[in-house]
Amino acid sequence: MRKHIRKYFIAGVLIILPVGITLFFLRFLMKISAGNIVGIITKYWDNSHPILAWGISLVIFILFIYGLGIFATHIIGRRLIAFGEKIIMWVPFLKTIYGVSKQVVSAFIDPNRVTYKSVVLVDFPQLGVRMIGFITGKIEDTRGQNCYNVFVPTTPNPTSGFLFIVRSDEIQHTNLSVEDGMKMIISGGIVSPSTLCEDR
């Protein structure tokens, strides 16, 4: 009876916990984004319904993000953003937080924008011990052999790591997407597929 209760209780926790964390995260995002606009709307529109106020706030926030995206892709916007990032990178603590946040968000929202091309396995620090790496390009060594530039990130901070130049016959290609590979790195292997298959 105890095993029966424990089994189904844990199953229920495994279902509700991710949902709860997701809802908490969404609520947090709504509060710091559209939630600030709700206060302004209700201040100047006393008879507004709460749902209507939230709806208007959400539309305004989406338009703001869209406009910010247009600004960021414009030449002036790119220069201003680059200047702002340089200032942030001068501050040690902010540099780490901003760098990690930007890398993680880029990898999860749009993995194709990240310069990582595919996920591979390399032997490091010794033969038989494999680490996850990301191919960033191709190069020829001094002997004219085809090699790959492989970035091997550290866990759980994927913005630091090692750059290896590895011969093409010394790496193992996988069928993992860049997003799945990044999930394994950030979670320390907690979030990982049951098998790693070679990409043929």
Side-chain angles (χ1 to χ4, degrees):
M1 188 67 179
R2 185 184 304 170
K3 291 181 179 179
H4 177 83
I5 295 174
R6 183 173 179 270
K7 174 184 176 181
Y8 290 104
F9 181 80
I10 293 177
V13 170
L14 291 176
I15 292 174
I16 198 171
L17 193 58
V19 174
I21 293 174
T22 303
L23 292 176
F24 176 81
F25 181 70
L26 290 176
R27 183 182 178 186
F28 173 74
L29 287 180
M30 288 289 292
K31 193 170 183 180
I32 64 174
S33 56
N36 294 323
I37 306 175
V38 170
I40 299 175
I41 293 177
T42 53
K43 181 179 180 180
Y44 293 99
W45 189 8
D46 295 334
N47 298 325
S48 62
H49 194 276
I51 297 179
L52 180 61
W54 270 101
I56 296 174
S57 302
L58 186 59
V59 171
I60 294 175
F61 181 71
I62 292 174
L63 292 175
F64 170 75
I65 295 296
Y66 180 74
L68 190 62
I70 295 176
F71 174 76
T73 55
H74 193 272
I75 184 171
I76 298 177
R78 288 199 302 266
R79 289 180 179 178
L80 288 175
I81 291 172
F83 178 74
E85 287 183 343
K86 285 182 180 179
I87 295 177
I88 293 175
M89 291 304 175
W90 287 340
V91 184
F93 183 69
L94 293 180
K95 174 182 177 180
T96 303
I97 296 176
Y98 181 79
V100 173
S101 302
K102 185 175 181 179
Q103 185 76 17
V104 171
V105 170
S106 297
F108 279 95
I109 292 181
D110 192 1
N112 295 323
R113 289 189 62 185
V114 185
T115 55
Y116 303 150
K117 301 182 185 302
S118 60
V119 182
V120 296
L121 299 178
V122 295
D123 290 312
F124 181 79
Q126 62 187 26
L127 291 175
V129 179
R130 295 180 175 178
M131 294 189 68
I132 290 179
F134 300 90
I135 291 179
T136 58
K138 291 184 178 181
I139 194 173
E140 286 188 0
D141 63 7
T142 55
R143 299 179 180 178
Q145 294 178 315
N146 293 325
C147 300
Y148 287 105
N149 296 328
V150 181
F151 175 68
V152 177
T154 54
T155 300
N157 179 7
T159 59
S160 64
F162 307 92
L163 174 63
F164 298 122
I165 298 177
V166 190
R167 290 206 314 263
S168 57
D169 58 345
E170 292 182 345
I171 64 175
Q172 180 181 356
H173 295 267
T174 70
N175 63 341
L176 287 178
S177 64
V178 172
E179 181 180 357
D180 289 336
M182 192 62 67
K183 286 179 181 178
M184 289 187 65
I185 295 295
I186 295 172
S187 68
I190 296 176
V191 179
S192 61
S194 57
T195 58
L196 279 176
C197 299
E198 186 174 357
D199 188 14
R200 299 183 182 277

